[in-house]
Amino acid sequence: QKLAGEDKYCTLHGIPRTDVIMPIDVLDELESATKQFKSSLGRIKKLRQALLDKSNAKEVLSEILKEDPEIMNDPVYVTALRNVQVDIATVEKSKIKTKV
């Protein structure tokens, strides 16, 4: 997108970005994305395991939630947690206790 004769990059909803993106920043973002991707692959593997052994699904999803709390931002995981009746508050409390 061109605004006032300058190249501008847009983010979500077309809000113009005016920051300079340096190559070193791109490399850091790629590294971060790679870590997130690998973490996601690990969760997929655990979910497949849980689906094959339905009696273990609640335990596996609880473990995934403890390891990766960001899954609470994913509606698919939230639905899965509700379907197997994982008590999210209890998982959060046990995570806090293990840190102390």
Side-chain angles (χ1 to χ4, degrees):
Q1 174 182 1
K2 293 226 179 214
L3 295 176
E6 296 180 28
D7 286 334
K8 301 283 181 180
Y9 297 96
C10 290
T11 61
L12 190 61
H13 305 296
I15 300 170
R17 292 182 60 150
T18 57
D19 57 325
V20 176
I21 301 172
M22 301 299 292
I24 191 72
D25 295 332
V26 171
L27 294 176
D28 289 341
E29 290 299 321
L30 286 172
E31 184 178 332
S32 175
T34 300
K35 287 179 184 176
Q36 290 177 14
F37 178 74
K38 288 180 179 179
S39 177
S40 179
L41 287 178
R43 290 193 301 266
I44 289 169
K45 183 178 178 182
K46 288 179 183 179
L47 281 175
R48 280 191 183 137
Q49 176 187 14
L51 290 172
L52 292 174
D53 182 15
K54 290 185 181 184
S55 64
N56 196 23
K58 185 174 184 175
E59 183 180 314
V60 171
L61 284 169
S62 295
E63 181 183 327
I64 290 172
L65 179 60
K66 286 178 188 176
E67 293 173 3
D68 299 307
E70 71 271 4
I71 67 169
M72 290 306 298
N73 298 325
D74 185 333
V76 173
Y77 279 100
V78 172
T79 302
L81 290 164
R82 285 184 187 149
N83 284 342
V84 296
Q85 300 173 345
V86 171
D87 184 6
I88 296 167
T90 303
V91 172
E92 289 295 318
K93 286 178 187 176
S94 68
K95 188 176 74 172
I96 291 170
K97 286 180 183 177
T98 58
K99 285 184 178 180
V100 175

